[in-house]
């Protein structure tokens, strides 16, 4: 009998590349703008993401 169980892909801290972080507002609350890239399931890196 063969097992068809596939180990799930796990991502960690090394799979995200922080490109920049900018504080947009720092008053009653803090708002920051992040630019980053993350590892894709195929092993490559994504395009820059802005959040």
């Amino acid at each position: 009998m063969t097992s068809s169980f596939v180990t799930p892909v796990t991502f960690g801290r090394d799979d995200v590349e922080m490109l920049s972080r900018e504080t947009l507002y720092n008053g009653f609350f803090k708002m920051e703008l992040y630019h980053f890239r993350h590892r894709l399931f195929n092993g490559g890196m994504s395009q820059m993401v802005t959040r």
Side-chain angles (χ1 to χ4, degrees):
M1 187 167 172
T2 62
S3 174
S4 63
F5 179 75
V6 177
T7 305
V9 176
T10 58
F11 293 103
R13 172 168 276 201
D14 294 333
D15 297 312
V16 176
E17 178 185 356
M18 290 298 298
L19 302 173
S20 68
R21 180 176 74 182
E22 176 185 353
T23 300
L24 301 176
Y25 179 78
N26 193 6
F28 181 72
F29 60 91
K30 188 173 186 177
M31 183 182 298
E32 294 183 325
L33 179 67
Y34 293 92
H35 293 125
F36 62 93
R37 296 177 347 140
H38 61 84
R39 176 98 35 224
L40 300 172
F41 286 109
N42 68 5
M45 292 299 280
S46 70
Q47 297 293 320
M48 183 175 67
V49 178
T50 303
R51 294 285 186 263

